[in-house]
Amino acid sequence: MSALTSPKAYAVLAAIQAGDAVACAAKIPPIEKAFDDVGLAPELRPVIPFVKAASALGLLSVFRFPALARLTTFMLSVYFVLAVGSHIRAKDWSPGLVAASSFLGLYAAMTVKGPDLTTR
């Protein structure tokens, strides 16, 4: 088992996604600024907390439904491709681009590897 395949890693990442969902729903200023910087339309912003909460649930599914968790890492990879693209399109070379790129690499690698099914 590696860190990429460990169900505990999925649980930690689910907690991060859940926390991010709460922060997005609370409309804290740094997140609103990040959305402004990449030009995210105001009508799309209320959807983001639901997407992040759903991804947290999908990651937690690793304990009962590992295939769903793997699909979730794939969909998070797609989400972060879009996030990286938004940063590049907006010429936003902020730490947000580094974070989005890092999460893209992480979730893509997790998708390729899949969760470890032996330690559920």
PDB file of all heavy atoms in Angstrom, residues 21 48-60 72:
ATOM      1  N   ALA A  21     -15.476  23.228   1.081  1.00  0.00           N
ATOM      2  CA  ALA A  21     -16.890  23.454   0.780  1.00  0.00           C
ATOM      3  C   ALA A  21     -17.495  24.456   1.761  1.00  0.00           C
ATOM      4  O   ALA A  21     -18.213  25.378   1.359  1.00  0.00           O
ATOM      5  CB  ALA A  21     -17.668  22.132   0.828  1.00  0.00           C
ATOM      6  N   ILE A  48     -20.411  25.738  -6.326  1.00  0.00           N
ATOM      7  CA  ILE A  48     -19.100  25.212  -5.917  1.00  0.00           C
ATOM      8  C   ILE A  48     -19.148  24.488  -4.568  1.00  0.00           C
ATOM      9  O   ILE A  48     -18.592  23.388  -4.449  1.00  0.00           O
ATOM     10  CB  ILE A  48     -18.029  26.328  -5.936  1.00  0.00           C
ATOM     11  CG1 ILE A  48     -17.892  26.927  -7.338  1.00  0.00           C
ATOM     12  CG2 ILE A  48     -16.687  25.826  -5.414  1.00  0.00           C
ATOM     13  CD1 ILE A  48     -17.417  25.962  -8.402  1.00  0.00           C
ATOM     14  N   PRO A  49     -19.781  25.025  -3.525  1.00  0.00           N
ATOM     15  CA  PRO A  49     -19.813  24.275  -2.257  1.00  0.00           C
ATOM     16  C   PRO A  49     -20.466  22.898  -2.390  1.00  0.00           C
ATOM     17  O   PRO A  49     -20.016  21.933  -1.752  1.00  0.00           O
ATOM     18  CB  PRO A  49     -20.622  25.177  -1.322  1.00  0.00           C
ATOM     19  CG  PRO A  49     -20.487  26.545  -1.892  1.00  0.00           C
ATOM     20  CD  PRO A  49     -20.385  26.358  -3.373  1.00  0.00           C
ATOM     21  N   PHE A  50     -21.492  22.786  -3.231  1.00  0.00           N
ATOM     22  CA  PHE A  50     -22.147  21.491  -3.428  1.00  0.00           C
ATOM     23  C   PHE A  50     -21.230  20.507  -4.160  1.00  0.00           C
ATOM     24  O   PHE A  50     -21.190  19.320  -3.828  1.00  0.00           O
ATOM     25  CB  PHE A  50     -23.465  21.667  -4.189  1.00  0.00           C
ATOM     26  CG  PHE A  50     -24.495  22.416  -3.403  1.00  0.00           C
ATOM     27  CD1 PHE A  50     -24.755  23.744  -3.687  1.00  0.00           C
ATOM     28  CD2 PHE A  50     -25.180  21.807  -2.369  1.00  0.00           C
ATOM     29  CE1 PHE A  50     -25.689  24.454  -2.957  1.00  0.00           C
ATOM     30  CE2 PHE A  50     -26.123  22.502  -1.627  1.00  0.00           C
ATOM     31  CZ  PHE A  50     -26.372  23.839  -1.920  1.00  0.00           C
ATOM     32  N   VAL A  51     -20.490  21.020  -5.129  1.00  0.00           N
ATOM     33  CA  VAL A  51     -19.536  20.176  -5.857  1.00  0.00           C
ATOM     34  C   VAL A  51     -18.473  19.660  -4.898  1.00  0.00           C
ATOM     35  O   VAL A  51     -18.133  18.469  -4.902  1.00  0.00           O
ATOM     36  CB  VAL A  51     -18.902  20.963  -7.028  1.00  0.00           C
ATOM     37  CG1 VAL A  51     -17.738  20.206  -7.644  1.00  0.00           C
ATOM     38  CG2 VAL A  51     -19.954  21.295  -8.080  1.00  0.00           C
ATOM     39  N   LYS A  52     -17.960  20.541  -4.065  1.00  0.00           N
ATOM     40  CA  LYS A  52     -16.911  20.139  -3.121  1.00  0.00           C
ATOM     41  C   LYS A  52     -17.443  19.188  -2.053  1.00  0.00           C
ATOM     42  O   LYS A  52     -16.763  18.231  -1.678  1.00  0.00           O
ATOM     43  CB  LYS A  52     -16.254  21.371  -2.513  1.00  0.00           C
ATOM     44  CG  LYS A  52     -15.455  22.142  -3.566  1.00  0.00           C
ATOM     45  CD  LYS A  52     -14.749  23.326  -2.992  1.00  0.00           C
ATOM     46  CE  LYS A  52     -14.017  24.062  -4.071  1.00  0.00           C
ATOM     47  NZ  LYS A  52     -12.630  23.699  -4.188  1.00  0.00           N
ATOM     48  N   ALA A  53     -18.659  19.431  -1.580  1.00  0.00           N
ATOM     49  CA  ALA A  53     -19.259  18.516  -0.591  1.00  0.00           C
ATOM     50  C   ALA A  53     -19.498  17.145  -1.216  1.00  0.00           C
ATOM     51  O   ALA A  53     -19.227  16.108  -0.579  1.00  0.00           O
ATOM     52  CB  ALA A  53     -20.556  19.098  -0.059  1.00  0.00           C
ATOM     53  N   ALA A  54     -19.974  17.113  -2.449  1.00  0.00           N
ATOM     54  CA  ALA A  54     -20.191  15.833  -3.130  1.00  0.00           C
ATOM     55  C   ALA A  54     -18.873  15.099  -3.327  1.00  0.00           C
ATOM     56  O   ALA A  54     -18.811  13.867  -3.182  1.00  0.00           O
ATOM     57  CB  ALA A  54     -20.873  16.065  -4.480  1.00  0.00           C
ATOM     58  N   SER A  55     -17.815  15.842  -3.625  1.00  0.00           N
ATOM     59  CA  SER A  55     -16.514  15.190  -3.807  1.00  0.00           C
ATOM     60  C   SER A  55     -16.017  14.614  -2.477  1.00  0.00           C
ATOM     61  O   SER A  55     -15.396  13.543  -2.461  1.00  0.00           O
ATOM     62  CB  SER A  55     -15.485  16.144  -4.416  1.00  0.00           C
ATOM     63  OG  SER A  55     -15.111  17.155  -3.505  1.00  0.00           O
ATOM     64  N   ALA A  56     -16.301  15.295  -1.378  1.00  0.00           N
ATOM     65  CA  ALA A  56     -15.905  14.762  -0.065  1.00  0.00           C
ATOM     66  C   ALA A  56     -16.623  13.446   0.204  1.00  0.00           C
ATOM     67  O   ALA A  56     -16.003  12.464   0.650  1.00  0.00           O
ATOM     68  CB  ALA A  56     -16.209  15.778   1.031  1.00  0.00           C
ATOM     69  N   LEU A  57     -17.910  13.407  -0.084  1.00  0.00           N
ATOM     70  CA  LEU A  57     -18.663  12.161   0.106  1.00  0.00           C
ATOM     71  C   LEU A  57     -18.133  11.065  -0.825  1.00  0.00           C
ATOM     72  O   LEU A  57     -18.022   9.898  -0.424  1.00  0.00           O
ATOM     73  CB  LEU A  57     -20.150  12.390  -0.140  1.00  0.00           C
ATOM     74  CG  LEU A  57     -20.858  13.253   0.894  1.00  0.00           C
ATOM     75  CD1 LEU A  57     -22.291  13.543   0.451  1.00  0.00           C
ATOM     76  CD2 LEU A  57     -20.829  12.594   2.254  1.00  0.00           C
ATOM     77  N   GLY A  58     -17.827  11.431  -2.053  1.00  0.00           N
ATOM     78  CA  GLY A  58     -17.285  10.454  -2.998  1.00  0.00           C
ATOM     79  C   GLY A  58     -15.958   9.887  -2.535  1.00  0.00           C
ATOM     80  O   GLY A  58     -15.706   8.686  -2.665  1.00  0.00           O
ATOM     81  N   LEU A  59     -15.108  10.739  -1.981  1.00  0.00           N
ATOM     82  CA  LEU A  59     -13.822  10.244  -1.465  1.00  0.00           C
ATOM     83  C   LEU A  59     -14.037   9.322  -0.267  1.00  0.00           C
ATOM     84  O   LEU A  59     -13.352   8.298  -0.131  1.00  0.00           O
ATOM     85  CB  LEU A  59     -12.907  11.417  -1.098  1.00  0.00           C
ATOM     86  CG  LEU A  59     -12.374  12.226  -2.276  1.00  0.00           C
ATOM     87  CD1 LEU A  59     -11.723  13.511  -1.774  1.00  0.00           C
ATOM     88  CD2 LEU A  59     -11.392  11.407  -3.101  1.00  0.00           C
ATOM     89  N   LEU A  60     -14.982   9.664   0.589  1.00  0.00           N
ATOM     90  CA  LEU A  60     -15.260   8.809   1.758  1.00  0.00           C
ATOM     91  C   LEU A  60     -15.879   7.473   1.371  1.00  0.00           C
ATOM     92  O   LEU A  60     -15.837   6.527   2.152  1.00  0.00           O
ATOM     93  CB  LEU A  60     -16.175   9.537   2.738  1.00  0.00           C
ATOM     94  CG  LEU A  60     -15.531  10.629   3.564  1.00  0.00           C
ATOM     95  CD1 LEU A  60     -16.573  11.332   4.424  1.00  0.00           C
ATOM     96  CD2 LEU A  60     -14.401  10.084   4.422  1.00  0.00           C
ATOM     97  N   THR A  72     -14.564   9.406  -8.314  1.00  0.00           N
ATOM     98  CA  THR A  72     -14.468  10.732  -7.701  1.00  0.00           C
ATOM     99  C   THR A  72     -13.095  11.349  -7.941  1.00  0.00           C
ATOM    100  O   THR A  72     -13.005  12.537  -8.269  1.00  0.00           O
ATOM    101  CB  THR A  72     -14.772  10.656  -6.199  1.00  0.00           C
ATOM    102  OG1 THR A  72     -16.085  10.117  -6.021  1.00  0.00           O
ATOM    103  CG2 THR A  72     -14.685  12.024  -5.540  1.00  0.00           C
TER     104      THR A  72
END
